[in-house]
Amino acid sequence: TIPVLQEFVSYSRGCDIRCFVVGDEVVAAMMRQATQGFKSNVEQGGRVSVVKVDNELRDLVLKVSRGCQLRMSGVDVLLDQSSYKICEVNSSPLFEGLERASKINVARRMLAFVSQFATSIKSQLPKKKKKKKKKKKKKTKKKHNKQKKNNKKKKDKNKAITRRNNKKQKQNRQYTIKIIKNKKQQINNKRQT
């Protein structure tokens, strides 16, 4: 495992904001507050209350979610004295406390988005032509060798896809770090002026 170091934001100790993104919309947001320690997760006893999302928070959350190439995500945001700081982005976030706090049926919003997305993808696919069934022939050595070559090609292709996905994940992490650094620089510039 790789250790992750994270800046301690004392102003936000024991509380954060969870913004739930579906498509290009922040459908709901809640403030989570720890009852003990610094972990504010609802599953660990954190209290929740609804949060009105301002333009700055909405733009930041959507930008980060897009940067991670996620169509649905839970973005956890820490509060600094004059700005927001991204804590983490969850690709499969829990939302029980969010539904309770916001009275929004998040699951329904997710299903509507997935249904609409699937329909749009399906309409873009080429239609398949029906093929006539042919009688199966016995396998010959040539056919067997050809299958071996095809299997090897598939394995090589899968390895290439895995390498590409790993590269994308690395780029996403670097992009998120870049966004955080830019936000810090903006805060420092505001403080200096």
Side-chain angles (χ1 to χ4, degrees):
T1 56
I2 299 171
V4 176
L5 301 177
Q6 192 172 4
E7 177 186 357
F8 177 67
V9 182
S10 60
Y11 189 80
S12 194
R13 180 181 174 84
C15 76
D16 68 356
I17 297 173
R18 160 66 60 89
C19 295
F20 203 94
V21 176
V22 177
D24 288 325
E25 182 185 4
V26 178
V27 296
M30 67 177 168
M31 171 82 69
R32 301 184 300 184
Q33 224 164 354
T35 51
Q36 295 177 7
F38 69 94
K39 291 185 178 182
S40 58
N41 301 45
V42 175
E43 296 74 25
Q44 296 180 357
R47 292 189 315 257
V48 296
S49 58
V50 71
V51 169
K52 186 176 179 185
V53 178
D54 62 23
N55 290 340
E56 181 185 1
L57 179 58
R58 187 194 77 241
D59 292 345
L60 176 65
V61 166
L62 291 176
K63 187 175 182 180
V64 169
S65 189
R66 283 186 206 119
C68 294
Q69 298 178 349
L70 296 172
R71 297 185 190 279
M72 286 189 275
S73 65
V75 181
D76 296 343
V77 181
L78 300 177
L79 304 166
D80 205 351
Q81 289 182 357
S82 60
S83 67
Y84 301 108
K85 293 190 176 199
I86 299 296
C87 177
E88 66 179 344
V89 180
N90 299 282
S91 60
S92 57
L94 300 175
F95 52 87
E96 178 187 337
L98 183 62
E99 286 186 324
R100 211 174 353 163
S102 67
K103 307 294 186 232
I104 292 173
N105 189 331
V106 176
R108 182 169 288 163
R109 297 290 282 274
M110 291 169 66
L111 286 172
F113 175 78
V114 169
S115 175
Q116 183 182 17
F117 183 73
T119 302
S120 71
I121 294 293
K122 187 177 180 182
S123 68
Q124 296 172 15
L125 295 174
K127 294 185 178 180
K128 293 182 180 180
K129 294 179 182 177
K130 291 184 179 180
K131 293 182 180 180
K132 293 180 181 178
K133 291 184 179 180
K134 294 179 181 178
K135 291 182 181 179
K136 292 183 181 179
K137 295 179 181 179
K138 292 182 179 180
K139 289 185 181 180
T140 61
K141 260 192 175 179
K142 274 187 177 181
K143 198 171 184 180
H144 184 68
N145 288 339
K146 191 175 182 180
Q147 283 180 340
K148 276 186 176 181
K149 286 180 184 177
N150 286 341
N151 288 342
K152 186 178 183 325
K153 285 180 184 178
K154 284 180 185 177
K155 284 181 184 178
D156 292 343
K157 187 176 179 181
N158 288 339
K159 286 180 184 177
I161 290 170
T162 301
R163 281 194 296 272
R164 249 186 313 209
N165 288 341
N166 289 341
K167 186 177 179 181
K168 277 186 181 179
Q169 287 176 347
K170 184 177 178 182
Q171 288 170 341
N172 289 343
R173 283 192 297 271
Q174 291 171 343
Y175 181 77
T176 303
I177 291 169
K178 185 178 178 182
I179 289 172
I180 291 169
K181 285 181 181 177
N182 287 342
K183 195 66 178 171
K184 283 182 182 180
Q185 185 63 40
Q186 289 173 359
I187 292 167
N188 289 337
N189 290 344
K190 283 182 183 177
R191 287 179 183 161
Q192 290 174 359
T193 57

